[in-house]
Amino acid sequence: QQHQAELAPRQTPHGPRPCHGGTTGGAGHPDRRGRPVPASGTMGGVKPRAVALAFRAVALAEACSWVGLLFGMFVKYVLATSERGVQIFGPIHGGIFIAYVVVAVVAARVLRWKAVPTLLALAASVPPLATLWFDRWATRTGRLPVPEAAPTS
């Protein structure tokens, strides 16, 4: 077995020494079992821009499903002509609502939101169209990465 003095300067008996002397790791640094550690700010290799894109898509879908459900409720309770709109948009909105909550929690973790933005994102799922407000607010305050511009030509 090799002694410490015989190892290369950046080596330890357990493998390469982490850069910057820390234990947080980073992209390309193996953990104790030799597996690569994802870059900080990611969750299993999920990139912040991908999470932001998914968050925006689900936030928009949640708002649209709210509009459909509100329309269905108007027809059912105000016009009193049909329950079909609620029967259709109720389950759609419920599924998208759950997806929004899951994506909001993932976004909070990957984008490292503190408690207040996380709770605002979750609370925005309750009032109609509030997810759109939260999306704009989070983008304006730098909590949600700005989408990359599409190439032109």
Side-chain angles (χ1 to χ4, degrees), residues 105-131:
V105 169
V106 170
R109 181 162 177 184
V110 171
L111 301 174
R112 297 180 175 177
W113 291 344
K114 295 189 188 286
V116 170
T118 302
L119 292 175
L120 282 174
L122 294 173
S125 65
V126 178
L129 309 178
T131 56

Side-chain angles (χ1 to χ4, degrees), residues 61-73 83-97:
E62 205 269 347
C64 291
S65 72
W66 251 125
V67 170
L69 183 58
L70 289 172
F71 177 75
M73 291 169 62
E83 294 185 14
R84 200 75 175 135
V86 173
Q87 291 172 345
I88 293 170
F89 285 106
I92 291 171
H93 176 69
I96 295 173
F97 170 85

